[in-house]
């Protein structure tokens, strides 16, 4: 197995210009280990790019660079420009793509310390970004997106949103056995199964970034629009927009802040931003389903807990586990079937 340095060197030799030297680092903040920030020198100038390699396993890697171009051509959502994409490299490296590097800070590193005004700006823009995506891009069925003959298609398509959401959630549950949360599986299933009747079957499937969270956003507080890039388009679905909205409220608001007034202020900014781009009634039906969608999202996070905290201290891991369990109890208590 080659080292990251050798793989990056091979990529630059295969697809880049002549250069005088390079250095690289990993982005951290929850990003995968197959992503590298690369700085190189060429003709006395410094250039910065991002190199992403296909991770091990059967993942739909080729769809991500195609989605960058697809989203950029149809919306105003900021995504890094694809510079090179090699799905079958001639050199002995995994498939890869290279993008421009968008400057700014990772939002996950900054979010907790932002002023109240800047947090509201971030939530309002997040709402506008999702409203833009949901308004402009739709599909004929629900499911995960992949690439076929250079076309974005739904790979495991289903005609019923309720059926697909059930499949998605059961997949999260099935992955809990080898985590610290194996003990909640039975309670989660007992809570979720009767509540599935509240989930609509019909609706227009829209593009959903299934990992839209602060760690996948770049942030510049000096910019009028502080979110400068949306990253990691690997986990993407055709789904109902309300699922994406509930996810985002959980990842940005409900899992981050305890104070009810702060939560409602941020939630209001997010919803107002969304409605600037797309009509949406956050009605009683949405409020009833929101904790169910959020519990599914929490189960997804629980399933990836050990990988996410692999390099954290024992104390940080214990605190995170306690927080996840607290969130689980709250959401289970909020789900209603009557």
């Amino acid at each position: 197995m080659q080292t990251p340095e050798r793989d990056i060197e091979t990529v630059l030799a295969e697809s880049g210009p002549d250069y005088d030297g390079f250095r690289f680092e990993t982005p951290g903040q929850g990003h995968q280990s197959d992503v590298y920030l690369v700085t190189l020198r060429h003709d006395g100038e410094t250039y910065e790019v991002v190199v992403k390699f296909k991770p091990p396993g059967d993942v739909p890697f080729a769809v991500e660079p195609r989605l960058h171009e697809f989203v950029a051509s149809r919306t105003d959502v900021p995504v890094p420009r694809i510079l090179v994409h090699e799905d079958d490299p001639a050199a002995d490296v995994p498939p890869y793509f290279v993008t421009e590097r968008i400057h700014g800070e990772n939002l996950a590193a900054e979010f907790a310390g932002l002023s109240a005004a800047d947090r509201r700006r971030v939530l309002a823009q997040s709402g506008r970004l999702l409203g833009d995506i949901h308004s402009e891009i739709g599909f004929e069925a629900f499911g995960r997106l992949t690439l076929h003959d250079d076309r974005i298609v739904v790979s495991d398509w289903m005609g019923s949103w309720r059926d697909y959401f059930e499949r998605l959630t059961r997949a999260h549950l099935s992955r809990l056995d080898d985590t610290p949360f194996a003990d909640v599986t039975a309670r989660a299933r007992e809570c979720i199964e009767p509540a599935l009747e509240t989930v609509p079957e019909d609706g227009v499937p829209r593009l959903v970034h299934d990992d839209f969270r602060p760690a996948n956003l770049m942030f510049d507080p000096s910019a009028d629009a502080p979110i400068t890039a949306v990253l990691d388009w690997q986990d993407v679905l055709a789904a109902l927009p309300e699922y994406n909205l509930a996810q985002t409220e959980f990842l940005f608001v409900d899992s981050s802040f305890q104070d009810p007034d702060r939560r409602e202020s941020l939630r209001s900014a997010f919803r107002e931003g969304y409605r600037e781009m797309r009509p949406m009634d956050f009605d009683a039906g949405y409020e009833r389903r929101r904790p169910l969608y959020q519990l599914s999202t929490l189960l997804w996070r629980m399933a990836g807990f050990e990988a996410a905290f692999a390099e954290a201290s024992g104390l940080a891991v214990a605190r995170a586990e306690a927080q996840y369990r607290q969130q689980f109890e709250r959401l289970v208590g909020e789900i209603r079937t009557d």
Side-chain angles (χ1 to χ4, degrees), residues 179-196:
T179 75
F181 307 104
D183 59 300
V184 309
T185 303
R187 286 187 61 211
R189 187 175 288 112
E190 290 172 3
C191 176
I192 289 167
E193 287 183 355
L196 288 170

Side-chain angles (χ1 to χ4, degrees), residues 265-299:
S265 174
L266 295 174
R267 199 185 317 279
S268 174
F270 173 68
R271 294 180 179 186
E272 288 171 7
Y274 188 83
R275 282 191 290 247
E276 287 180 28
M277 306 300 295
R278 183 174 185 267
M280 173 67 184
D281 292 325
F282 293 89
D283 56 14
Y286 171 78
E287 295 296 344
R288 187 182 184 189
R289 294 184 289 274
R290 178 161 60 97
L292 177 60
Y293 291 143
Q294 293 186 341
L295 180 58
S296 179
T297 300
L298 177 61
L299 294 173

Side-chain angles (χ1 to χ4, degrees), residues 47 62 69 74 111 115 120 206 226 235 247 268 286 290 304:
Y47 297 88
E69 298 166 349
R74 289 164 173 78
F111 193 57
S115 68
R120 284 184 57 85
R206 298 290 182 177
D235 294 315
Q247 270 190 323
S268 174
Y286 171 78
R290 178 161 60 97

Side-chain angles (χ1 to χ4, degrees), residues 8-19 40 42 84 96 98:
I8 293 167
E9 185 176 22
T10 301
V11 165
L12 295 177
E14 180 176 80
S15 60
D18 294 334
Y19 60 93
L40 55 92
H42 172 64
V84 180
Y96 65 87
V98 182

Side-chain angles (χ1 to χ4, degrees), residues 185-333:
T185 303
R187 286 187 61 211
R189 187 175 288 112
E190 290 172 3
C191 176
I192 289 167
E193 287 183 355
L196 288 170
E197 293 185 2
T198 67
V199 176
E201 293 197 71
D202 301 324
V204 178
R206 298 290 182 177
L207 180 66
V208 164
H209 187 306
D210 203 29
D211 200 8
F212 190 88
R213 59 191 172 104
N216 287 330
L217 302 178
M218 299 302 293
F219 170 76
D220 179 358
S222 67
D224 291 338
I227 297 173
T228 58
V230 181
L231 309 176
D232 283 4
W233 292 82
Q234 182 172 303
D235 294 315
V236 184
L237 304 175
L240 278 194
E242 67 176 21
Y243 164 75
N244 206 186
L245 297 174
Q247 270 190 323
T248 306
E249 290 191 27
F250 177 71
L251 295 171
F252 285 72
V253 180
D254 297 310
S255 67
S256 300
F257 302 100
Q258 296 294 323
D259 181 73
D261 291 337
R262 182 175 295 178
R263 281 184 177 179
E264 289 313 305
S265 174
L266 295 174
R267 199 185 317 279
S268 174
F270 173 68
R271 294 180 179 186
E272 288 171 7
Y274 188 83
R275 282 191 290 247
E276 287 180 28
M277 306 300 295
R278 183 174 185 267
M280 173 67 184
D281 292 325
F282 293 89
D283 56 14
Y286 171 78
E287 295 296 344
R288 187 182 184 189
R289 294 184 289 274
R290 178 161 60 97
L292 177 60
Y293 291 143
Q294 293 186 341
L295 180 58
S296 179
T297 300
L298 177 61
L299 294 173
W300 162 71
R301 298 190 82 191
M302 286 177 163
F305 181 83
E306 291 179 308
F309 290 92
E311 299 180 5
S313 69
L315 180 59
V317 171
R319 285 176 173 170
E321 181 180 342
Q323 183 183 42
Y324 280 29
R325 290 184 179 277
Q326 182 182 45
Q327 292 167 1
F328 178 84
E329 294 298 333
R330 178 178 61 80
L331 291 171
V332 165

Side-chain angles (χ1 to χ4, degrees), residues 4-10 12 19-24 37-41 47:
E5 184 172 7
R6 288 289 304 278
D7 283 346
I8 293 167
E9 185 176 22
T10 301
L12 295 177
Y19 60 93
D20 302 322
F22 74 91
R23 65 179 187 273
F24 70 94
L37 310 178
V38 179
T39 303
L40 55 92
R41 297 279 298 176
Y47 297 88

